[in-house]
Amino acid sequence: MATGERIRFFRTLRGITQKYLGLLLGFPESSADVRLAQYESEDRTPKAELTGQMAEALDVSPKAIAVPDIDTMDGLMHTLFALEDRKLLRITNTDGLICLRAEIFDGGIHAADLEQRLRAWQEQSAKLERGEISREEYDQWRYKYPELDTSKQWRKVIPSQELSNLILQ
């Protein structure tokens, strides 16, 4: 999620308006909601100091609002938290192992798409482990994704006579 989306997410989660958050941040009453709308729509990007003030007002870490740097563990964790917030990822414990899995139970089309992509990645990883492809081929697949993804298998489905009859009724 981009910074503006995160601001809107946490503001909505806290049940406060753009105007109220803008006032908490010290913006003039006449423009408080407009300023917040500009940040949420990505027309403006808050500087680090303002991001810190927003985070304090929303009772979250500044790292939860800013676009995370996935090269750091904290940034990576906040990226995973954002995916959980969007109902795309769920953390579970399966047989003592910490697992991240695509969240497909909310009926969201994005979650089903994520699951399909993760399955394609897992298939390539399994091929590498079994020695069916080289590390170079595996890396080529990852670095050129989705161009080299061949996991999408389309099949022609012929409806049963019972379904055809039902449709014609």
Side-chain angles (χ1 to χ4, degrees):
M1 267 187 219
T3 300
E5 289 178 274
R6 299 301 292 163
I7 294 168
R8 180 175 30 256
F9 174 82
F10 288 115
R11 180 183 58 76
T12 304
L13 184 69
R14 299 293 183 241
I16 60 176
T17 65
Q18 289 176 332
K19 185 166 205 104
Y20 183 74
L21 180 55
L23 292 171
L24 287 176
L25 297 172
F27 299 147
E29 185 173 357
S30 61
S31 63
D33 54 345
V34 174
R35 286 282 301 273
L36 253 293
Q38 290 172 334
Y39 292 121
E40 289 183 5
S41 67
E42 303 285 327
D43 289 338
R44 296 180 79 156
T45 303
K47 292 187 177 359
E49 182 180 335
L50 182 57
T51 299
Q53 291 172 338
M54 284 184 196
E56 187 174 324
L58 296 168
D59 195 27
V60 298
S61 166
K63 293 176 183 179
I65 293 177
V67 173
D69 175 5
I70 63 169
D71 290 333
T72 68
M73 279 298 160
D74 289 345
L76 178 59
M77 290 301 295
H78 282 284
T79 300
L80 296 173
F81 297 154
L83 291 171
E84 180 183 40
D85 290 340
R86 295 181 76 176
K87 308 244 185 275
L88 292 173
L89 199 63
R90 181 187 300 180
I91 187 165
T92 63
N93 185 321
T94 305
D95 298 326
L97 298 174
I98 300 299
C99 300
L100 297 174
R101 66 179 211 175
E103 178 61 64
I104 59 171
F105 300 105
D106 250 358
I109 192 160
H110 299 297
D113 188 34
L114 176 61
E115 182 187 36
Q116 178 183 359
R117 292 166 188 258
L118 290 174
R119 284 188 188 282
W121 179 18
Q122 192 279 324
E123 287 172 14
Q124 295 302 310
S125 177
K127 285 181 184 179
L128 176 65
E129 282 186 38
R130 292 189 302 261
E132 295 174 14
I133 60 173
S134 68
R135 181 66 192 201
E136 184 178 321
E137 290 169 310
Y138 176 69
D139 288 343
Q140 182 81 355
W141 182 89
R142 292 186 310 137
Y143 301 148
K144 289 203 170 189
Y145 182 85
E147 290 84 18
L148 298 181
D149 182 20
T150 59
S151 66
K152 294 180 182 173
Q153 297 178 9
W154 305 98
R155 295 191 176 130
K156 185 176 181 179
V157 176
I158 301 171
S160 68
Q161 186 62 49
E162 181 179 280
L163 180 59
S164 295
N165 292 341
L166 183 64
I167 292 171
L168 294 174
Q169 290 180 359

